[in-house]
Amino acid sequence: MPIQVTWWGHATFALQIDGYNVWIDPWLTDNPMTNLTPDKVEADYILVTHGHGDHLGDTIPLAQRTGATVITVAELAHWLDTQGVKTQMQHIGGTVNYPFGKVKLTIAHHGSRLPDGSYAGPPCGVLVRSTGGQTVYHAGDTGLFLDMQLYGDEGIDLAILPIGDAVTMGPDDALRALRLLKPRFAMPMHYNTWEGIKQDEKAWGARVAAETSAQAVLLQPGESFELD
Ligand code: NI
Ligand code: MN
């Protein structure tokens, strides 16, 4: 059964997997790329890559209203526990089975400070392997690293990579990442939200086609991609 991947701008994604609503970094309030508000959406699970406001986003109100389980690294999970949110802590390299599939947390080279200034543990990316067998890699905020090759060895269908530069990989390193990850499809994120991370995603998509074995998937915020 195909899964549906919807981009809500920046690093915010909603996956529909076998009837489960799985969010990644649900930043909607104050996200300049969408008018969607967190009171309008359903969530069963929420994956959070790190504590920065543009990723933690609406996690707390969304989890509180829907009762969704938040999946993230131990330090951030413990902080969320104190906010009245149901959590499942994992850590980098570890996999846990959920009704929608398996989640492994991956390395990300970045920072992770919470809005209140406390430490959220290391940042991460996520590898989601659906019950139907599709594997989605959301890199989180990160620079390029060679170990992406090891994640590529696991077989990735869709790689979602930052291309904004300045605080994450830019377009060139995202292409190098694709050569390590070898996904079937590649989707850019974390660009055009602010002045400092403006990129030409169409030019990047053309380079994906010319320079890698992946097929670029370029969405507008609110659009979905069906992954078989
Ligand atoms: Ni960040
Ligand atoms: Mn960010």
Side-chain angles (χ1 to χ4, degrees):
M1 185 188 292
I3 68 171
Q4 205 176 53
V5 180
T6 306
W7 186 46
W8 290 104
H10 203 58
T12 304
F13 288 83
L15 312 183
Q16 276 203 318
I17 306 175
D18 203 12
Y20 290 96
N21 293 296
V22 181
W23 285 80
I24 305 175
D25 289 352
W27 179 46
L28 299 171
T29 304
D30 300 328
N31 179 340
M33 301 188 84
T34 182
N35 293 320
L36 188 68
T37 54
D39 56 312
K40 297 284 194 297
V41 303
E42 291 309 316
D44 299 298
Y45 292 89
I46 303 171
L47 282 55
V48 182
T49 63
H50 62 295
H52 290 163
D54 55 318
H55 298 261
L56 180 69
D58 295 297
T59 295
I60 293 169
L62 184 55
Q64 285 176 341
R65 180 177 61 78
T66 60
T69 300
V70 181
I71 300 166
T72 189
V73 295
E75 293 83 356
L76 181 47
H78 291 150
W79 182 83
L80 286 165
D81 286 339
T82 70
Q83 312 290 315
V85 167
K86 188 164 69 180
T87 63
Q88 170 65 54
M89 69 99 166
Q90 295 189 209
H91 230 302
I92 290 165
T95 299
V96 172
N97 285 309
Y98 300 95
F100 63 89
K102 296 176 180 178
V103 175
K104 179 191 264 191
L105 301 189
T106 61
I107 298 169
H109 293 299
H110 193 66
S112 188
R113 181 177 182 267
L114 286 156
D116 70 1
S118 53
Y119 169 65
C124 68
V126 294
L127 259 177
V128 179
R129 192 176 297 276
S130 75
T131 44
Q134 297 95 343
T135 300
V136 176
Y137 171 58
H138 180 297
D141 279 3
T142 187
L144 177 68
F145 53 92
L146 187 56
D147 292 6
M148 284 182 173
Q149 191 169 358
L150 298 174
Y151 300 136
D153 288 345
E154 298 187 27
I156 295 172
D157 295 296
L158 170 64
I160 303 172
L161 300 176
I163 67 162
D165 224 334
V167 293
T168 66
M169 286 187 277
D172 291 336
D173 279 352
L175 289 170
R176 296 169 75 194
L178 289 176
R179 290 185 209 111
L180 300 170
L181 294 162
K182 298 184 174 64
R184 290 161 58 209
F185 299 99
M187 208 182 275
M189 66 167 170
H190 214 278
Y191 66 95
N192 288 0
T193 322
W194 305 293
E195 200 52 50
I197 58 171
K198 287 257 196 268
Q199 296 296 342
D200 181 346
E201 76 277 13
K202 290 199 177 68
W204 185 77
R207 289 185 65 193
V208 168
E211 299 173 33
T212 80
S213 56
Q215 188 178 327
V217 178
L218 305 178
L219 300 179
Q220 293 300 311
E223 287 184 344
S224 299
F225 173 64
E226 223 170 67
L227 180 63
D228 287 303

